[in-house]
Amino acid sequence: MSKWDGIDEFIAVATTNSFTRAAKSIGMSPTHVSRAIMMLEQRVQAQLFNRTTRTVKLTDTGRIFFERCERIAQERDEAIALVGEQGEPQGELRVTCSTALGERFVAPIIRRFATPHPKLGITIDLSNRIVDLIAEGYDLGIRTGHVTDARLISTQVASRRLYACAAPDYLARAGLPKCVDDLAQHLCIVGTSSTWHFREAGSDRLYHPKGRFQCNSGQAVIEACVAGIGVCQLPEFYVLPYLKHGMVRLILEDLQPPDEPIWAVYPQRRHLLPKIQQVVQCLQLELVTAMS
């Protein structure tokens, strides 16, 4: 009997909370999975699951055992993949990115990257929530701003500029703000970020905008701005097309914040995999050009 016997079945049950779903996920019968778990519990001399007719849940011992087994199994699979790939990206690549950045730039770049690699499967999840890459099984995340998770490696792939702007007719009515504090006298259009960034007197200055129009779509925010609803701050790719045609005007230009970095982040144990190395290199080469 191998010391690995029952580990994959255990991980599958712990992940799916079901013997039936676990069996389907690993291509085995429920009977096989049940027998493997029973033999594993006998080997470790501990109950790993609390079972009822309707639920399967890890015991406290099972939870600790699962954390160790999952990490070891991932490292085993990645070691095999690292040798087996021999420089060719293959397997599954799961990526998470914010919706607008993903739709406009990241998804097209990764699609082009995947085209010459038929052994590579791609899943891109576009969401504005902060995803726990490790807990949720993602290979790569695209993040802006500061990354503080010590479990992740961060590689800068681009940067973006934030512009504050308003429509000319709005400014004709409300006046031109000359400092950050003047924004309190203006109608602010709030997007996904509840904090606006400026650079004032050599220091970073944060402003929490308030207004009667709020939307989690940057495109909707810039269109409201063009319509004269108020002032907004957005990444340059939203603002520049309207700025070019005089439909908006930049405000507080002398208080422009530093460019915001865009990072590719990935779990430390995956940084040697060809699929990670090569997609990050591709993003570094193409994202700056695509956003300019």
Side-chain angles (χ1 to χ4, degrees):
M1 178 182 292
S2 167
K3 291 183 179 180
W4 282 101
D5 287 349
I7 298 296
D8 288 330
E9 292 87 347
F10 167 69
I11 292 172
V13 175
T15 302
T16 62
N17 294 317
S18 164
F19 281 85
T20 302
R21 290 193 295 269
K24 184 177 181 179
S25 71
I26 60 175
M28 300 290 183
S29 69
T31 301
H32 166 84
V33 172
S34 180
R35 185 181 299 115
I37 295 300
M38 180 181 66
M39 295 177 66
L40 181 61
E41 288 179 324
Q42 291 175 353
R43 281 166 53 203
V44 300
Q45 298 183 348
Q47 183 177 345
L48 300 175
F49 294 102
N50 288 318
R51 307 166 176 82
T52 70
T53 55
R54 307 184 71 174
T55 63
V56 179
K57 294 184 177 181
L58 287 165
T59 62
D60 290 341
T61 300
R63 192 172 297 107
I64 295 171
F65 190 58
F66 172 66
E67 292 173 357
R68 298 292 183 89
C69 287
E70 184 182 39
R71 184 168 63 250
I72 292 170
Q74 285 177 343
E75 291 175 352
R76 174 202 62 186
D77 294 343
E78 288 162 7
I80 293 172
L82 183 61
V83 175
E85 288 182 19
Q86 297 180 342
E88 180 185 358
Q90 58 183 272
E92 290 297 317
L93 178 65
R94 299 188 68 214
V95 182
T96 176
C97 181
S98 62
T99 303
L101 188 62
E103 286 179 343
R104 292 188 179 219
F105 305 110
V106 174
I109 290 172
I110 293 180
R111 183 192 68 234
R112 291 193 293 272
F113 169 77
T115 300
H117 302 297
K119 295 182 180 179
L120 185 66
I122 303 290
T123 298
I124 303 176
D125 181 13
L126 301 183
S127 172
N128 290 329
R129 71 183 181 91
I130 302 298
V131 173
D132 186 329
L133 269 62
I134 295 174
E136 299 183 46
Y138 285 88
D139 298 294
L140 182 70
I142 308 301
R143 304 265 172 88
T144 57
H146 300 288
V147 179
T148 58
D149 193 333
R151 301 172 301 168
L152 304 176
I153 294 176
S154 303
T155 300
Q156 186 170 348
V157 292
S159 61
R160 67 180 187 181
R161 185 160 296 178
L162 297 173
Y163 285 128
C165 63
D169 61 341
Y170 171 84
L171 294 174
R173 298 192 314 268
L176 186 69
K178 294 182 171 58
C179 64
V180 175
D181 290 334
D182 285 351
L183 292 174
Q185 308 305 318
H186 286 263
L187 296 173
C188 296
I189 309 170
V190 185
T192 55
S193 177
S194 61
T195 304
W196 291 358
H197 297 260
F198 298 95
R199 186 77 174 174
E200 194 171 51
S203 300
D204 293 334
R205 173 75 188 275
L206 302 181
Y207 181 76
H208 299 281
K210 295 181 180 179
R212 63 188 180 91
F213 190 92
Q214 182 170 347
C215 184
N216 64 353
S217 163
Q219 188 60 40
V221 168
I222 190 63
E223 289 175 1
C225 181
V226 170
I229 299 295
V231 302
C232 70
Q233 187 182 68
L234 287 169
E236 58 189 327
F237 59 82
Y238 287 113
V239 176
L240 290 180
Y242 298 94
L243 182 65
K244 180 179 179 181
H245 292 92
M247 301 169 74
V248 295
R249 178 181 170 187
L250 297 184
I251 60 173
L252 302 176
E253 290 185 75
D254 56 338
L255 304 181
Q256 182 75 36
D259 290 357
E260 187 176 50
I262 300 174
W263 307 95
V265 298
Y266 38 96
Q268 291 187 12
R269 61 177 177 270
R270 300 188 185 184
H271 75 284
L272 292 177
L273 292 176
K275 64 182 179 182
I276 300 297
Q277 289 185 330
Q278 293 185 33
V279 76
V280 170
Q281 290 171 0
C282 181
L283 287 165
Q284 286 178 307
L285 289 173
E286 294 196 32
L287 194 54
V288 172
T289 301
M291 296 181 66
S292 62

